[in-house]
């Protein structure tokens, strides 16, 4: 496991433990994806509103804690500030809010909005003849929403080569309406598609680098709860809960035991 | 009104290169001149109203002034959550311009009719909601508001009135007649001529609104000592007036039922009690009640 991503997971556990809030399994599946995206994006933690920055939209807003932990490690704010997650007066909700948090570009939470928003931002950059890029992260369960595919069609038709969609293929919705063969589907909708191991930071960075002829979709094969066996084996039980005093050391032990 | 919408946009686009048209396969030919002049800011994006709003919000986030345009129920009722979250909550405001108000497409049936757009959109914080009745109102309201950065709804009708009005100021209602009568008829939008005809020789005050939100509270309050009868061809004005404390408000128009008939807009208005004769009966009924009280 990438050491930075291991630390981000430690931060995630700490926040969930201290706050009593968090969607740990889904957050653990996207840590490398978010970390890799910020690794190729132009951005400045000291100047979150830098006018030449690339944009990241977390369409699956319930993974907000993962985004907070990445932004915290990158220096947008002290990671321990997020310990207030979900509390009265905190700027950190269980879904991200652009009006409160440095580095958050869009307030999300209701699924199926991110690609459309990101497409509009990418279209704006295209009109402005800007080199700025837009990244958005969506989930496989989220992709049950028709608005996802509507927006993908529009983005591909407009050949928004400055838009990259990160698809978290953690099979979270296998029990509901599974999205079989997502790469094939996105190709059929006119996108360029790359398939990678969603926990391989180098592979993810390579997939996010540069731009092609149209919208790029990075289908990232991920595991819900990746990094802690307890979470992986009990994703539904852990969907919205946080660790207690007895569970915290066990989860940290499992995380620390992950090979580099 | 659509032709006025085009003329106004063409005119302001001469000096504002931040205007972007996002069309839902509606009025595409009408805007050909815009497309020819500004091809990189003209998008017939497809029949996908949710995405039209989201994309417009994204454009707005980067400093553009988008105009999203499609048929009333599809761009409002269908896209309500995108308007609520992508535009209003995120603060990525845009201009939403609908056509086919209420019963304009009477022959198309209930799928193409819409009486709830004003009422639901006025519930969203920070939205501005316009129901212009004439071309001049369309022009004035767009010019006043399009670059505000906020989210604004303009409801266009194919049946504008041509009644001369004083200055058109967003958020300001207009007193057309004040006879210090105990009954005030309030109305909005293109139905105004029917209301004027219905009340032509009746002793009532007559107040007109093009802005449903923010409602002109001062003006409503100035008639609070009278009974108020709202005559409306879409939900919205009645609720806006009635929620002002101390008002005594009645309503004419729009039963709690789908319109299952076809015809022309005049037929629909007759069905729902918005033709001049029905309006007059409603006003006379209020006046009789008052006289008997």
């Amino acid at each position: 496991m990438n050491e930075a991503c291991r630390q981000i997971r430690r931060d995630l556990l700490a926040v969930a433990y201290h706050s009593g809030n968090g969607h740990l399994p889904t957050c653990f599946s996207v840590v490398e994806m978010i970390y890799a995206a910020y690794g190729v994006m132009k951005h400045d933690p000291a100047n979150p509103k830098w006018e030449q920055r690339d944009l990241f939209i977390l369409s699956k807003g319930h993974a907000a804690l993962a985004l907070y932990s990445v932004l915290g490690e990158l220096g947008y704010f002290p990671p321990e500030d997020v310990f207030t997650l979900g509390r009265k007066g905190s700027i950190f909700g269980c879904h991200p809010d652009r009006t409160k948090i440095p580095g958050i570009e869009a307030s999300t939470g209701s699924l199926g909005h991110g690609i459309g928003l990101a497409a509009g931002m990418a279209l704006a950059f295209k009109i402005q003849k800007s080199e700025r890029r837009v990244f958005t992260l969506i989930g496989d369960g989220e992709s049950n929403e028709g608005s996802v595919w509507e927006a993908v069609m529009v983005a591909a038709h407009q050949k928004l080569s400055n838009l990259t969609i990160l698809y978290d293929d953690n099979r979270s919705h296998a029990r509901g309406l599974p999205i079989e063969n997502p790469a094939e589907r996105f190709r059929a909708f006119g996108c360029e598609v790359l398939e990678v191991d969603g926990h391989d930071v180098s592979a993810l960075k390579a997939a996010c680098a540069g731009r092609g002829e149209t919208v790029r979709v990075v289908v990232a094969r991920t595991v819900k709860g990746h990094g802690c066996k307890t979470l992986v084996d009990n994703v539904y039980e852990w969907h919205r809960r946080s660790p207690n005093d007895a569970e915290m050391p066990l989860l940290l032990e499992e995380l620390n035991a992950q090979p580099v | 009104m659509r032709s006025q919408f085009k003329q106004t946009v063409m005119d302001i686009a001469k000096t504002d290169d931040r205007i972007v048209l996002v069309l839902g396969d509606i009025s595409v030919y009408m805007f050909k001149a815009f497309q020819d002049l500004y091809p990189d800011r003209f998008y017939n994006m497809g029949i996908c109203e949710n995405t039209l709003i989201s994309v417009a919000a994204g454009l707005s986030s980067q400093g553009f002034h988008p105009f999203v345009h499609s048929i009333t129920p599809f761009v409002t009722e269908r896209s309500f959550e995108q308007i609520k979250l992508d535009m209003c909550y995120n603060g990525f405001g845009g201009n939403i311009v609908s056509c086919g108000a209420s019963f304009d497409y009477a022959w198309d049936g209930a799928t193409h009719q819409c009486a709830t757009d004003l009422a639901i959109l006025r519930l969203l914080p920070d939205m501005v909601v316009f129901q212009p009745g004439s071309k001049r109102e369309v022009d004035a309201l767009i010019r006043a508001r399009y670059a505000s950065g906020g989210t604004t709804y303009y409801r266009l009708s194919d049946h504008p009135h041509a009644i001369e009005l004083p200055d058109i100021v967003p958020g300001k209602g207009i007193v057309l007649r004040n006879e210090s009568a105990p009954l005030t008829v309030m109305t909005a939008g293109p139905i105004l001529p029917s209301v004027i005809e219905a009340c032509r020789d009746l002793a009532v005050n007559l107040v007109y609104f093009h802005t449903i939100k923010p409602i002109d509270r001062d003006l409503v309050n100035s008639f609070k000592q009278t009974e108020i009868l709202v005559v409306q061809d879409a939900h919205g004005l009645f609720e806006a007036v009635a929620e002002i404390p101390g008002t005594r408000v009645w309503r004419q128009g729009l039963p709690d039922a789908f319109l299952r008939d076809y015809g022309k807009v005049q037929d629909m208005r007759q069905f729902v009690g918005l033709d001049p004769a029905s309006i007059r009966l409603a006003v006379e009924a209020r006046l009789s009640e008052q006289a008997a009280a």
Side-chain angles (χ1 to χ4, degrees), chain A residues 77-85 90-92:
Chain A
F77 39 76
E80 57 273 20
D81 282 7
V82 192
F83 286 3
T84 60
L85 180 75
S90 175
I91 64 170
F92 298 99

Side-chain angles (χ1 to χ4, degrees), chain B residues 225-242:
Chain B
Q225 301 312 314
T226 76
E227 278 195 353
I228 296 169
L229 175 66
V230 170
V231 180
Q232 60 181 12
D233 66 351
H235 300 288
L237 180 62
F238 171 77
E239 293 86 348
V241 172

Side-chain angles (χ1 to χ4, degrees), chain A residues 97-98 107 110 113 120 150, chain B residues 48 51 55 62 81 86 89-90:
Chain A
D97 191 324
R98 68 172 286 272
S107 306
S110 179
H113 288 243
E150 218 181 78
Chain B
C48 48
T51 299
V55 166
Q62 302 307 314
E81 193 186 64
D86 299 351
Y89 189 76
N90 269 291

Side-chain angles (χ1 to χ4, degrees), chain B residues 135-193:
Chain B
K135 293 181 177 181
R136 185 165 156 256
E137 292 164 70
V138 171
D139 181 65
L141 295 171
I142 289 176
R143 288 179 191 277
R145 178 69 187 173
Y146 84 95
S148 67
T151 302
T152 309
Y153 178 57
Y154 311 82
R155 178 192 224 247
L156 306 188
S157 167
D158 288 346
H159 302 277
H161 66 70
I163 293 166
E164 283 292 323
L165 297 170
D167 286 351
I168 309 299
V169 179
K172 293 294 178 190
I174 297 167
V175 179
L176 295 174
R177 194 202 302 174
N178 187 354
E179 299 186 355
S180 300
L183 179 65
T184 302
V185 177
M186 296 187 172
T187 192
I191 204 168
L192 177 60

Side-chain angles (χ1 to χ4, degrees), chain B residues 10-251:
Chain B
M10 291 297 296
D11 192 47
I12 57 182
K14 290 176 186 170
T15 55
D16 191 338
D17 61 5
R18 297 167 298 170
I19 290 172
V20 182
L21 290 187
V22 180
L23 307 184
D25 206 33
I26 293 293
S27 306
V28 176
Y29 183 74
M30 187 181 82
F31 275 110
K32 187 173 183 307
F34 186 99
Q35 182 180 14
D36 290 343
L37 282 170
Y38 317 109
D40 62 337
R41 289 186 282 118
F42 173 90
Y43 298 93
N44 178 22
M45 202 145 270
I47 304 166
C48 48
E49 294 80 13
N50 294 176
T51 299
L52 302 185
I53 298 292
S54 296
V55 166
L59 287 163
S60 169
S61 76
Q62 302 307 314
F64 287 101
H65 303 312
F67 282 86
V68 182
H69 178 48
S70 191
I71 295 174
T72 309
F74 314 141
V75 77
T76 60
E77 293 169 326
R78 188 189 192 102
S79 300
F80 184 70
E81 193 186 64
Q82 279 74 19
I83 298 170
K84 168 190 161 191
L85 296 177
D86 299 351
M87 286 188 165
C88 292
Y89 189 76
N90 269 291
F92 300 148
N95 300 285
I96 303 164
V97 184
S98 73
C99 58
S102 292
F103 326 114
D104 279 9
Y105 303 147
W107 51 84
D108 282 328
T111 57
H112 283 58
Q113 296 168 9
C114 187
T116 67
D117 51 331
L118 303 166
I120 61 174
L121 293 177
R122 68 174 283 276
L123 297 176
L124 295 177
D126 300 328
M127 265 210 78
V128 167
V129 177
F130 293 134
Q131 186 184 13
S134 65
K135 293 181 177 181
R136 185 165 156 256
E137 292 164 70
V138 171
D139 181 65
L141 295 171
I142 289 176
R143 288 179 191 277
R145 178 69 187 173
Y146 84 95
S148 67
T151 302
T152 309
Y153 178 57
Y154 311 82
R155 178 192 224 247
L156 306 188
S157 167
D158 288 346
H159 302 277
H161 66 70
I163 293 166
E164 283 292 323
L165 297 170
D167 286 351
I168 309 299
V169 179
K172 293 294 178 190
I174 297 167
V175 179
L176 295 174
R177 194 202 302 174
N178 187 354
E179 299 186 355
S180 300
L183 179 65
T184 302
V185 177
M186 296 187 172
T187 192
I191 204 168
L192 177 60
S194 297
V195 177
I196 290 176
E197 182 184 340
C199 301
R200 62 190 181 280
D201 53 357
L202 299 178
V204 296
N205 314 311
L206 184 53
V207 177
Y208 176 75
F209 297 89
H210 44 66
T211 304
I212 304 300
K213 185 180 182 181
I215 195 68
D216 188 344
R217 295 176 72 93
D218 291 342
L219 184 59
V220 174
N221 276 326
S222 70
F223 287 94
K224 203 160 61 177
Q225 301 312 314
T226 76
E227 278 195 353
I228 296 169
L229 175 66
V230 170
V231 180
Q232 60 181 12
D233 66 351
H235 300 288
L237 180 62
F238 171 77
E239 293 86 348
V241 172
E243 71 186 20
I244 295 174
T247 52
R248 292 166 295 150
V249 193
W250 302 78
R251 190 186 75 173

Side-chain angles (χ1 to χ4, degrees), chain A residues 90-110:
Chain A
S90 175
I91 64 170
F92 298 99
C94 294
H95 297 94
D97 191 324
R98 68 172 286 272
T99 66
K100 299 176 179 175
I101 307 170
I104 299 296
E105 302 289 357
S107 306
T108 54
S110 179

